[in-house]
Amino acid sequence: MPVSLPQRRLPRQDPLPHVRPTVTLLLPLRRVAAVATAGALLALSACAPDLRAVGDPGPAGSPAPGGTASPAPSPVASPSPSPTLTPTPTPTPSTPTAPPVVTPTVTALYSEGDDGDGVRELQHRLAQLEWFEGKITGDYETATRLAVEGFQGKRTLPATGEVDQATWDVLVKMTREPTHDEMYNIMRPGPTLLAEGATGDSVKDLQARLKQIAWYEAKIDGIYGAKTVEAVRGFQAKREIPVTGEVDQRTLDRLKAMTRRPTTDELNNVAPKPGTMSLDDRCLSGRVVCISKAQRKLAWVVDGEIQMTMDVRFGSELTPTRNGVFSVYWKSRNHVSKLYGSAMPWAMFFSGGQAVHYSADFAARGYNGSSHGCVNVRSKERIDALYSQVREGDTVVVYSG
């Protein structure tokens, strides 16, 4: 018979506690630090849940109450503190040192104290442009330095008075190369225009012009004879022109520059009538105050007819009365000179500060004195009559003859 064995009751086993799986969260360091900080705050405020009540095994190796020991959860690594980033300083760029200013050295080709043919050429080239006057000497002295300074200043070159390459290049470009004779002041006569034996109107003109400046005294006959030769030689010697007694272009140009065109009366030896004067051809038409230095006369001329004449005097060598054709631009009956403080009654201005006017000094001293460039009249009656007839705009002719 079967034997019933008593059943053995197995002891009751509590169900295994629920173990939360350990989840490792990979968080950025900043977020880990934030979580850790939050947990600490919760613990301090007694608001943290008791993790052991829901299966926290407690200290490592301690069995859970009412059950077997559970493996200790993997510890959560404490977050490393955020590293402090020290900014790398940006290097301050150093200010580059400016290179020293180097003034280029300008070599002078010619400067004061030099001499020789190079300086002669320089002087002649400057003379061609009317910057240098006088004889070519070959010596770089004060006059040459001043001429160079003037040339440089006019051409916006540094006015140093020394000739550098830039100055020389500009000067050479503007001038021609002088000849040997020019550099050594050797004057040779040019082709002959008039010489002994010539006749005609050209010779008459020559004789009349020489007569105006007291180099020819004979009768004007249009024949180039011995007396004309003598007059030409004297004129040439006085002006340092090659003395030949023959007229070349240089001689004729110089003579014309010093004289005026002869009148018809002069060319035909017609002497002026007593009390009148020989008129320049420029005085023969229109209303003209005609003034002759050689005759010391003034004539009021209308359409070639002399209306009146009067004695006049002129300026000195330092303050000469200008020759030329002008016009009356202002009349001032009781004028007083602002420059000299002297009275200038009946003044008729024709060239800058020069005027025809009455002069008490001329009336008292005559030709022993002179004006400061004006045309003095010594007769009150005549200057008053002239003043009443002359109008602004009328022509004034002043000439040497």
Side-chain angles (χ1 to χ4, degrees):
M1 151 173 216
V3 178
S4 287
L5 298 175
Q7 294 182 351
R8 189 178 178 180
R9 182 182 291 263
L10 297 175
R12 181 171 172 245
Q13 296 181 353
D14 293 331
L16 295 174
H18 176 73
V19 180
R20 291 181 180 181
T22 302
V23 179
T24 303
L25 297 178
L26 300 179
L27 298 175
L29 292 178
R30 291 184 180 179
R31 296 189 60 185
V32 170
V35 171
T37 303
L41 292 174
L42 287 174
L44 290 174
S45 64
C47 293
D50 188 357
L51 296 180
R52 285 179 295 178
V54 288
D56 189 352
S62 300
T68 61
S70 299
S74 301
V76 178
S78 299
S80 301
S82 300
T84 302
L85 301 178
T86 303
T88 303
T90 303
T92 302
S94 59
T95 302
T97 303
V101 178
V102 179
T103 303
T105 302
V106 178
T107 303
L109 303 180
Y110 303 108
S111 59
E112 196 163 4
D114 291 345
D115 57 20
D117 284 354
V119 178
R120 287 180 179 274
E121 181 179 353
L122 167 67
Q123 290 172 332
H124 194 278
R125 287 184 183 275
L126 290 168
Q128 292 176 37
L129 301 174
E130 297 184 356
W131 281 108
F132 183 81
E133 295 181 352
K135 288 188 175 183
I136 307 301
T137 64
D139 295 323
Y140 203 123
E141 28 55 76
T142 302
T144 305
R145 176 178 59 79
L146 293 175
V148 171
E149 285 182 6
F151 174 80
Q152 290 171 326
K154 182 71 173 180
R155 272 79 196 176
T156 64
L157 295 165
T160 62
E162 297 182 345
V163 179
D164 57 8
Q165 191 63 53
T167 301
W168 182 253
D169 290 344
V170 174
L171 181 61
V172 168
K173 188 175 181 180
M174 297 179 65
T175 55
R176 60 171 178 80
E177 184 176 359
T179 65
H180 178 272
D181 287 355
E182 288 173 327
M183 288 171 54
Y184 282 86
N185 306 292
I186 300 173
M187 299 184 70
R188 304 181 189 276
T192 300
L193 303 178
L194 293 170
E196 191 171 9
T199 59
D201 290 342
S202 296
V203 178
K204 278 190 171 185
D205 183 86
L206 170 66
Q207 292 170 332
R209 288 180 182 274
L210 289 168
K211 198 166 192 175
Q212 289 177 16
I213 52 178
W215 280 107
Y216 183 79
E217 297 179 355
K219 192 173 184 178
I220 295 174
D221 55 10
I223 301 173
Y224 203 126
K227 291 183 179 179
T228 305
V229 171
E230 182 182 356
V232 171
R233 289 177 63 88
F235 175 80
Q236 290 171 329
K238 180 71 173 180
R239 274 79 198 176
E240 297 184 343
I241 296 172
V243 180
T244 62
E246 298 178 349
V247 178
D248 60 2
Q249 192 63 54
R250 182 188 292 114
T251 302
L252 186 59
D253 290 345
R254 189 65 179 274
L255 179 61
K256 285 185 175 181
M258 298 180 64
T259 57
R260 57 171 174 76
R261 182 163 58 104
T263 65
T264 302
D265 286 350
E266 288 177 298
L267 293 173
N268 293 281
N269 303 291
V270 176
K273 298 176 182 179
T276 62
M277 59 181 282
S278 175
L279 300 178
D280 185 282
D281 285 353
R282 295 171 291 182
C283 301
L284 300 180
S285 62
R287 299 164 56 87
V288 185
V289 178
C290 195
I291 304 169
S292 169
K293 288 182 176 179
Q295 301 174 72
R296 295 179 176 178
K297 293 285 186 181
L298 179 153
W300 170 234
V301 185
V302 178
D303 295 330
E305 296 292 330
I306 296 177
Q307 307 299 310
M308 70 176 75
T309 63
M310 58 199 74
D311 296 335
V312 290
R313 75 174 183 182
F314 308 95
S316 65
E317 292 184 1
L318 296 178
T319 56
T321 303
R322 290 182 280 273
N323 286 1
V325 179
F326 312 95
S327 62
V328 177
Y329 67 87
W330 182 37
K331 295 172 64 179
S332 178
R333 180 178 290 273
N334 297 305
H335 192 78
V336 176
S337 171
K338 293 181 180 179
L339 184 60
Y340 300 105
S342 55
M344 299 171 56
W346 295 287
M348 292 168 277
F349 289 90
F350 62 87
S351 176
Q354 296 188 354
V356 177
H357 68 86
Y358 171 76
S359 169
D361 182 75
F362 182 29
R365 300 173 58 198
Y367 293 101
N368 291 325
S370 63
S371 73
H372 291 100
C374 290
V375 179
N376 291 164
V377 178
R378 60 182 172 187
S379 170
K380 286 185 178 180
E381 293 76 14
R382 290 182 180 272
I383 189 67
D384 182 64
L386 179 66
Y387 189 91
S388 65
Q389 296 184 50
V390 171
R391 300 192 294 254
E392 291 183 3
D394 286 345
T395 302
V396 177
V397 175
V398 183
Y399 56 101
S400 298

mmCIF file of all heavy atoms in Angstrom, residues 194-223:
data_model
loop_
_atom_site.group_PDB
_atom_site.id
_atom_site.type_symbol
_atom_site.label_atom_id
_atom_site.label_comp_id
_atom_site.label_asym_id
_atom_site.label_seq_id
_atom_site.Cartn_x
_atom_site.Cartn_y
_atom_site.Cartn_z
ATOM 1 N N LEU A 194 73.473 149.158 -96.654
ATOM 2 C CA LEU A 194 73.762 150.447 -97.288
ATOM 3 C C LEU A 194 75.240 150.750 -97.104
ATOM 4 O O LEU A 194 75.792 150.530 -96.024
ATOM 5 C CB LEU A 194 72.923 151.565 -96.661
ATOM 6 C CG LEU A 194 71.401 151.532 -96.877
ATOM 7 C CD1 LEU A 194 70.720 152.577 -95.982
ATOM 8 C CD2 LEU A 194 71.064 151.761 -98.345
ATOM 9 N N ALA A 195 75.859 151.284 -98.137
ATOM 10 C CA ALA A 195 77.289 151.608 -98.055
ATOM 11 C C ALA A 195 77.576 152.812 -98.948
ATOM 12 O O ALA A 195 76.696 153.302 -99.679
ATOM 13 C CB ALA A 195 78.127 150.413 -98.489
ATOM 14 N N GLU A 196 78.806 153.293 -98.860
ATOM 15 C CA GLU A 196 79.204 154.463 -99.638
ATOM 16 C C GLU A 196 78.912 154.241 -101.120
ATOM 17 O O GLU A 196 79.216 153.188 -101.682
ATOM 18 C CB GLU A 196 80.693 154.738 -99.444
ATOM 19 C CG GLU A 196 81.151 156.071 -99.999
ATOM 20 C CD GLU A 196 82.571 156.417 -99.599
ATOM 21 O OE1 GLU A 196 83.263 155.536 -99.032
ATOM 22 O OE2 GLU A 196 83.001 157.572 -99.837
ATOM 23 N N GLY A 197 78.290 155.285 -101.716
ATOM 24 C CA GLY A 197 77.910 155.211 -103.124
ATOM 25 C C GLY A 197 76.428 154.956 -103.321
ATOM 26 O O GLY A 197 75.890 155.171 -104.415
ATOM 27 N N ALA A 198 75.732 154.501 -102.282
ATOM 28 C CA ALA A 198 74.295 154.236 -102.407
ATOM 29 C C ALA A 198 73.527 155.559 -102.465
ATOM 30 O O ALA A 198 73.974 156.585 -101.934
ATOM 31 C CB ALA A 198 73.813 153.403 -101.229
ATOM 32 N N THR A 199 72.353 155.537 -103.079
ATOM 33 C CA THR A 199 71.501 156.730 -103.190
ATOM 34 C C THR A 199 70.044 156.329 -103.005
ATOM 35 O O THR A 199 69.700 155.146 -103.065
ATOM 36 C CB THR A 199 71.657 157.409 -104.563
ATOM 37 O OG1 THR A 199 71.299 156.461 -105.584
ATOM 38 C CG2 THR A 199 73.069 157.890 -104.796
ATOM 39 N N GLY A 200 69.201 157.356 -102.802
ATOM 40 C CA GLY A 200 67.764 157.088 -102.750
ATOM 41 C C GLY A 200 67.125 157.430 -101.423
ATOM 42 O O GLY A 200 67.734 158.000 -100.512
ATOM 43 N N ASP A 201 65.848 157.063 -101.298
ATOM 44 C CA ASP A 201 65.062 157.391 -100.110
ATOM 45 C C ASP A 201 65.580 156.692 -98.853
ATOM 46 O O ASP A 201 65.476 157.242 -97.749
ATOM 47 C CB ASP A 201 63.595 157.011 -100.333
ATOM 48 C CG ASP A 201 62.899 157.917 -101.342
ATOM 49 O OD1 ASP A 201 63.436 159.017 -101.605
ATOM 50 O OD2 ASP A 201 61.833 157.528 -101.874
ATOM 51 N N SER A 202 66.123 155.492 -98.999
ATOM 52 C CA SER A 202 66.659 154.791 -97.830
ATOM 53 C C SER A 202 67.825 155.560 -97.227
ATOM 54 O O SER A 202 67.993 155.621 -96.004
ATOM 55 C CB SER A 202 67.107 153.374 -98.222
ATOM 56 O OG SER A 202 66.017 152.590 -98.643
ATOM 57 N N VAL A 203 68.642 156.179 -98.085
ATOM 58 C CA VAL A 203 69.762 156.977 -97.596
ATOM 59 C C VAL A 203 69.239 158.248 -96.935
ATOM 60 O O VAL A 203 69.765 158.688 -95.901
ATOM 61 C CB VAL A 203 70.731 157.309 -98.745
ATOM 62 C CG1 VAL A 203 71.873 158.184 -98.240
ATOM 63 C CG2 VAL A 203 71.279 156.037 -99.379
ATOM 64 N N LYS A 204 68.191 158.861 -97.504
ATOM 65 C CA LYS A 204 67.586 160.040 -96.888
ATOM 66 C C LYS A 204 67.077 159.723 -95.481
ATOM 67 O O LYS A 204 67.279 160.495 -94.538
ATOM 68 C CB LYS A 204 66.423 160.544 -97.751
ATOM 69 C CG LYS A 204 66.817 161.416 -98.928
ATOM 70 C CD LYS A 204 65.563 162.035 -99.532
ATOM 71 C CE LYS A 204 65.931 163.093 -100.575
ATOM 72 N NZ LYS A 204 64.743 163.800 -101.089
ATOM 73 N N ASP A 205 66.410 158.599 -95.376
ATOM 74 C CA ASP A 205 65.888 158.190 -94.075
ATOM 75 C C ASP A 205 67.032 157.989 -93.078
ATOM 76 O O ASP A 205 66.943 158.415 -91.917
ATOM 77 C CB ASP A 205 65.078 156.895 -94.221
ATOM 78 C CG ASP A 205 64.432 156.450 -92.930
ATOM 79 O OD1 ASP A 205 63.319 156.908 -92.628
ATOM 80 O OD2 ASP A 205 65.050 155.624 -92.199
ATOM 81 N N LEU A 206 68.115 157.354 -93.543
ATOM 82 C CA LEU A 206 69.289 157.145 -92.695
ATOM 83 C C LEU A 206 69.872 158.481 -92.233
ATOM 84 O O LEU A 206 70.150 158.679 -91.045
ATOM 85 C CB LEU A 206 70.332 156.349 -93.465
ATOM 86 C CG LEU A 206 71.720 156.225 -92.825
ATOM 87 C CD1 LEU A 206 71.652 155.417 -91.536
ATOM 88 C CD2 LEU A 206 72.716 155.613 -93.818
ATOM 89 N N GLN A 207 70.053 159.395 -93.150
ATOM 90 C CA GLN A 207 70.637 160.703 -92.813
ATOM 91 C C GLN A 207 69.745 161.484 -91.839
ATOM 92 O O GLN A 207 70.245 162.101 -90.894
ATOM 93 C CB GLN A 207 70.857 161.512 -94.092
ATOM 94 C CG GLN A 207 71.942 160.942 -95.001
ATOM 95 C CD GLN A 207 71.977 161.615 -96.362
ATOM 96 O OE1 GLN A 207 70.959 162.117 -96.868
ATOM 97 N NE2 GLN A 207 73.158 161.626 -96.990
ATOM 98 N N ALA A 208 68.443 161.427 -92.070
ATOM 99 C CA ALA A 208 67.523 162.164 -91.203
ATOM 100 C C ALA A 208 67.516 161.585 -89.784
ATOM 101 O O ALA A 208 67.472 162.337 -88.794
ATOM 102 C CB ALA A 208 66.114 162.144 -91.791
ATOM 103 N N ARG A 209 67.582 160.288 -89.688
ATOM 104 C CA ARG A 209 67.615 159.658 -88.354
ATOM 105 C C ARG A 209 68.927 159.990 -87.641
ATOM 106 O O ARG A 209 68.928 160.262 -86.430
ATOM 107 C CB ARG A 209 67.427 158.143 -88.482
ATOM 108 C CG ARG A 209 66.004 157.724 -88.856
ATOM 109 C CD ARG A 209 65.876 156.210 -88.967
ATOM 110 N NE ARG A 209 64.547 155.797 -89.367
ATOM 111 C CZ ARG A 209 63.521 155.594 -88.535
ATOM 112 N NH1 ARG A 209 63.674 155.813 -87.233
ATOM 113 N NH2 ARG A 209 62.346 155.198 -88.987
ATOM 114 N N LEU A 210 70.040 159.956 -88.349
ATOM 115 C CA LEU A 210 71.325 160.317 -87.741
ATOM 116 C C LEU A 210 71.310 161.785 -87.307
ATOM 117 O O LEU A 210 71.911 162.151 -86.290
ATOM 118 C CB LEU A 210 72.457 160.068 -88.728
ATOM 119 C CG LEU A 210 72.793 158.594 -89.006
ATOM 120 C CD1 LEU A 210 73.729 158.467 -90.207
ATOM 121 C CD2 LEU A 210 73.436 157.936 -87.771
ATOM 122 N N LYS A 211 70.590 162.613 -88.050
ATOM 123 C CA LYS A 211 70.512 164.023 -87.714
ATOM 124 C C LYS A 211 69.694 164.246 -86.444
ATOM 125 O O LYS A 211 69.975 165.163 -85.647
ATOM 126 C CB LYS A 211 69.902 164.799 -88.888
ATOM 127 C CG LYS A 211 70.155 166.299 -88.839
ATOM 128 C CD LYS A 211 69.817 166.929 -90.193
ATOM 129 C CE LYS A 211 70.339 168.379 -90.258
ATOM 130 N NZ LYS A 211 70.122 168.975 -91.604
ATOM 131 N N GLN A 212 68.681 163.420 -86.233
ATOM 132 C CA GLN A 212 67.851 163.555 -85.040
ATOM 133 C C GLN A 212 68.662 163.385 -83.755
ATOM 134 O O GLN A 212 68.352 163.991 -82.726
ATOM 135 C CB GLN A 212 66.714 162.514 -85.058
ATOM 136 C CG GLN A 212 65.633 162.787 -86.086
ATOM 137 C CD GLN A 212 64.591 161.673 -86.101
ATOM 138 O OE1 GLN A 212 64.501 160.868 -85.173
ATOM 139 N NE2 GLN A 212 63.795 161.622 -87.163
ATOM 140 N N ILE A 213 69.707 162.556 -83.800
ATOM 141 C CA ILE A 213 70.512 162.314 -82.597
ATOM 142 C C ILE A 213 71.906 162.950 -82.733
ATOM 143 O O ILE A 213 72.858 162.528 -82.079
ATOM 144 C CB ILE A 213 70.627 160.806 -82.306
ATOM 145 C CG1 ILE A 213 71.111 160.037 -83.532
ATOM 146 C CG2 ILE A 213 69.279 160.252 -81.850
ATOM 147 C CD1 ILE A 213 71.295 158.547 -83.289
ATOM 148 N N ALA A 214 71.979 163.945 -83.605
ATOM 149 C CA ALA A 214 73.173 164.800 -83.723
ATOM 150 C C ALA A 214 74.432 164.070 -84.184
ATOM 151 O O ALA A 214 75.546 164.452 -83.809
ATOM 152 C CB ALA A 214 73.428 165.507 -82.403
ATOM 153 N N TRP A 215 74.281 163.063 -85.043
ATOM 154 C CA TRP A 215 75.456 162.429 -85.643
ATOM 155 C C TRP A 215 75.683 162.907 -87.083
ATOM 156 O O TRP A 215 76.752 162.703 -87.642
ATOM 157 C CB TRP A 215 75.321 160.896 -85.625
ATOM 158 C CG TRP A 215 75.663 160.300 -84.297
ATOM 159 C CD1 TRP A 215 74.803 159.779 -83.382
ATOM 160 C CD2 TRP A 215 76.962 160.194 -83.713
ATOM 161 N NE1 TRP A 215 75.466 159.352 -82.273
ATOM 162 C CE2 TRP A 215 76.808 159.590 -82.442
ATOM 163 C CE3 TRP A 215 78.243 160.559 -84.123
ATOM 164 C CZ2 TRP A 215 77.887 159.334 -81.589
ATOM 165 C CZ3 TRP A 215 79.312 160.288 -83.276
ATOM 166 C CH2 TRP A 215 79.129 159.686 -82.021
ATOM 167 N N TYR A 216 74.716 163.550 -87.670
ATOM 168 C CA TYR A 216 74.830 164.028 -89.054
ATOM 169 C C TYR A 216 74.341 165.474 -89.094
ATOM 170 O O TYR A 216 73.260 165.781 -88.597
ATOM 171 C CB TYR A 216 73.975 163.150 -89.978
ATOM 172 C CG TYR A 216 74.065 163.488 -91.438
ATOM 173 C CD1 TYR A 216 75.143 163.072 -92.223
ATOM 174 C CD2 TYR A 216 73.049 164.226 -92.064
ATOM 175 C CE1 TYR A 216 75.210 163.381 -93.571
ATOM 176 C CE2 TYR A 216 73.114 164.535 -93.416
ATOM 177 C CZ TYR A 216 74.206 164.114 -94.152
ATOM 178 O OH TYR A 216 74.275 164.412 -95.495
ATOM 179 N N GLU A 217 75.149 166.369 -89.662
ATOM 180 C CA GLU A 217 74.794 167.791 -89.685
ATOM 181 C C GLU A 217 74.628 168.354 -91.102
ATOM 182 O O GLU A 217 74.100 169.450 -91.270
ATOM 183 C CB GLU A 217 75.865 168.602 -88.948
ATOM 184 C CG GLU A 217 75.974 168.258 -87.466
ATOM 185 C CD GLU A 217 77.068 169.075 -86.775
ATOM 186 O OE1 GLU A 217 77.785 169.825 -87.484
ATOM 187 O OE2 GLU A 217 77.211 168.953 -85.544
ATOM 188 N N ALA A 218 75.065 167.623 -92.090
ATOM 189 C CA ALA A 218 75.010 168.136 -93.468
ATOM 190 C C ALA A 218 73.579 168.094 -94.000
ATOM 191 O O ALA A 218 72.654 167.629 -93.331
ATOM 192 C CB ALA A 218 75.944 167.332 -94.365
ATOM 193 N N LYS A 219 73.466 168.567 -95.220
ATOM 194 C CA LYS A 219 72.164 168.590 -95.874
ATOM 195 C C LYS A 219 71.738 167.169 -96.241
ATOM 196 O O LYS A 219 72.552 166.345 -96.667
ATOM 197 C CB LYS A 219 72.252 169.440 -97.140
ATOM 198 C CG LYS A 219 70.917 169.788 -97.749
ATOM 199 C CD LYS A 219 71.119 170.774 -98.900
ATOM 200 C CE LYS A 219 69.801 171.218 -99.479
ATOM 201 N NZ LYS A 219 69.983 172.219 -100.571
ATOM 202 N N ILE A 220 70.464 166.884 -96.066
ATOM 203 C CA ILE A 220 69.937 165.566 -96.432
ATOM 204 C C ILE A 220 69.748 165.549 -97.940
ATOM 205 O O ILE A 220 68.906 166.266 -98.501
ATOM 206 C CB ILE A 220 68.610 165.299 -95.696
ATOM 207 C CG1 ILE A 220 68.875 165.222 -94.182
ATOM 208 C CG2 ILE A 220 67.961 164.021 -96.174
ATOM 209 C CD1 ILE A 220 67.647 165.117 -93.337
ATOM 210 N N ASP A 221 70.551 164.722 -98.616
ATOM 211 C CA ASP A 221 70.527 164.697 -100.089
ATOM 212 C C ASP A 221 70.313 163.298 -100.657
ATOM 213 O O ASP A 221 70.221 163.126 -101.877
ATOM 214 C CB ASP A 221 71.830 165.273 -100.646
ATOM 215 C CG ASP A 221 73.064 164.558 -100.104
ATOM 216 O OD1 ASP A 221 72.909 163.496 -99.454
ATOM 217 O OD2 ASP A 221 74.182 165.070 -100.309
ATOM 218 N N GLY A 222 70.265 162.279 -99.832
ATOM 219 C CA GLY A 222 70.041 160.931 -100.338
ATOM 220 C C GLY A 222 71.260 160.321 -100.986
ATOM 221 O O GLY A 222 71.136 159.302 -101.678
ATOM 222 N N ILE A 223 72.454 160.892 -100.753
ATOM 223 C CA ILE A 223 73.688 160.349 -101.328
ATOM 224 C C ILE A 223 74.592 159.877 -100.187
ATOM 225 O O ILE A 223 74.947 160.655 -99.301
ATOM 226 C CB ILE A 223 74.416 161.418 -102.173
ATOM 227 C CG1 ILE A 223 73.505 161.905 -103.308
ATOM 228 C CG2 ILE A 223 75.712 160.859 -102.721
ATOM 229 C CD1 ILE A 223 74.095 163.083 -104.079
#
